[in-house]
Amino acid sequence: MTRKALLGVLAGEALATPPIWLMRQAGRYLAEYKAVRTQAGSFLDLCYAPDLAVEVSLQPIRRFGFDAAILFSDILVIPHALGMQLEYREGEGPVLSTVRSREDIAALRPEGLEDRLAPVYDAVRGLAAALPKTCTLIGFAGAPWTVAAYMVEGKGGTDHANLIRWAWRDPQTFGELMGLLVDVTARHLIAQARAGAEVVQLFDSWAGAAPEGLFHRLCIEPVAEIVRRVRAAVPGLPIIGFPRGGGAQLRRFATETGVSAIGIDQGTPLAWVRRQVPAQTALQGNLDPILLAEGGPPLDEEVDRILGTMRGAPHVFNLGHGIRQDTPPDHVAQLVQRVRTRAR
Ligand code: CP3
């Protein structure tokens, strides 16, 4: 049997037709997702109901035939499992209790985390059993810096001033929070791999908010340590890093973390990154999610340009960030069709 397309590319192979999946491919742009979400009650209930989480993970696979399914969950189940309050408010996004002091860190409960996240691993097992055999199962977690951003700020959409001031002011205490997150994140990924995830991705959505003087300590070292721990437990596991907005830091990120692939946002030129990182490091991305929502001939032209740029190199077709809620599903079908017919 030949290797699944995504696994080949993550091992450094350049394929004539790149595998394709989309970040946040299960979600509110699909009517069938909204129906299951309503049935579940709340978004968090959906995350902790293995059968329903399996169902919504499979919806985009059935509709579009993607090369990979990503576990349906959220990066914020980690703070939730650590004992923080978490609520998703309509139109506002996640709202959490905050961690801003040594006492707040001491109140977090890392022990027994895998027991509280057992429904997530059940969903991974269910998905592994249900997937078509050419489809790769991706598990994930947030990178420590991005998860810390939500834990310290208590919500998204801020300028991260509380977070960044703490990181500058008191590297020692902030480092304790990051160390705790490195530990639980590595454990969470190892548990997903043992339940059947074939690849894991670390989402560092706010890497671009880290100032130059903190980037190495906050966005490279923690990810490097997680990669070491996960690979020590699960040798050879392919790992995708997504330090969104990491631009000029990507060369160091690639060489020092040892990830198999890097997710590239839509603002960063693929051809330039290609020259920065080792040849066997795969690149994932970087179609503009707004263009996918827009559709039409400019979408086809941009797909062709991206394919041309990455010809002959290990490439996973994806967006530069998660799919938008206002994306017509027909545009996703158009994208998949274009990638599969136009590639080389
Ligand atoms: O990719 C997938 O389909 C798998 C599931 C997945 C979700 N969130 C489901 C979700 C993944 C991989 C994530 C990652 C995630 N979650 C990130 C990193 C990627 C990124 O977008 O930067 C972040 C920052 C979060 C935190 C989070 N979760 C936010 C900021 C929000 C609100 C934004 C929104 O779209 O409402 C969520 C909620 C969330 N996570 C939804 C989904 C499908 C929408 C919840 C709903 O159904 O109302």
Side-chain angles (χ1 to χ4, degrees), residues 166-197:
W166 189 8
W168 283 122
R169 180 177 67 239
D170 186 358
Q172 170 81 31
T173 311
F174 189 74
E176 284 168 24
L177 174 61
M178 293 292 283
L180 183 149
L181 288 173
V182 164
D183 179 57
V184 295
T185 304
R187 285 162 47 195
H188 186 43
L189 294 176
I190 291 165
Q192 291 177 54
R194 291 190 171 143

Side-chain angles (χ1 to χ4, degrees), residues 293-317:
E294 181 58 28
L299 172 59
D300 284 342
E301 286 162 29
E302 183 65 358
V303 169
D304 295 354
R305 187 189 68 76
I306 290 171
L307 291 172
T309 301
M310 289 303 294
R311 185 163 292 137
H315 180 215
V316 179
F317 206 102

Side-chain angles (χ1 to χ4, degrees), residues 21-29 33-34 37 42-44 46-47 56-57 60 70-76 88-94 138 140-142 146 150 155-157 201 203-206 242 244 321-323 325:
W21 69 282
L22 302 182
M23 290 187 278
R24 301 281 291 269
Q25 64 193 16
R28 287 168 300 190
Y29 73 109
Y33 168 81
K34 284 189 268 192
R37 162 98 153 68
S42 74
F43 172 70
L44 262 183
L46 176 51
C47 289
V56 295
S57 305
I70 183 162
L71 163 72
F72 188 84
S73 183
D74 199 76
I75 66 168
L76 301 179
Y88 292 82
R89 297 200 188 136
E90 209 53 56
E92 215 184 318
I138 304 176
F140 73 93
T146 287
Y150 287 95
K155 57 185 184 213
Q201 173 157 328
F203 286 87
D204 213 351
S205 304
W206 298 115
F242 178 44
R244 187 169 73 97
H321 195 197
I323 192 167
Q325 207 185 323

Side-chain angles (χ1 to χ4, degrees), residues 22 39 66 94 100 156 163 169-170 189 191 222 254 273 280 282 315:
L22 302 182
Q39 187 191 335
F66 288 124
R100 295 191 176 171
L163 173 78
R169 180 177 67 239
D170 186 358
L189 294 176
V273 183
Q280 77 278 8
H315 180 215

Side-chain angles (χ1 to χ4, degrees), residues 3-22 25 64-69 134-136 138 199 240 261 282-286 306-307 310 313-319 335-336 339-340 343-344:
R3 185 150 56 173
K4 295 180 184 185
L6 180 63
L7 297 179
V9 169
L10 296 179
E13 258 177 62
L15 297 185
T17 299
I20 177 172
W21 69 282
L22 302 182
Q25 64 193 16
F64 307 114
F66 288 124
D67 293 284
T134 55
C135 195
T136 304
I138 304 176
V199 172
I240 305 170
L283 301 188
Q284 173 173 282
N286 73 343
I306 290 171
L307 291 172
M310 289 303 294
H315 180 215
V316 179
F317 206 102
N318 206 316
L319 296 169
L335 165 66
V336 172
V339 169
R340 299 230 166 111
R344 346 290 131 121

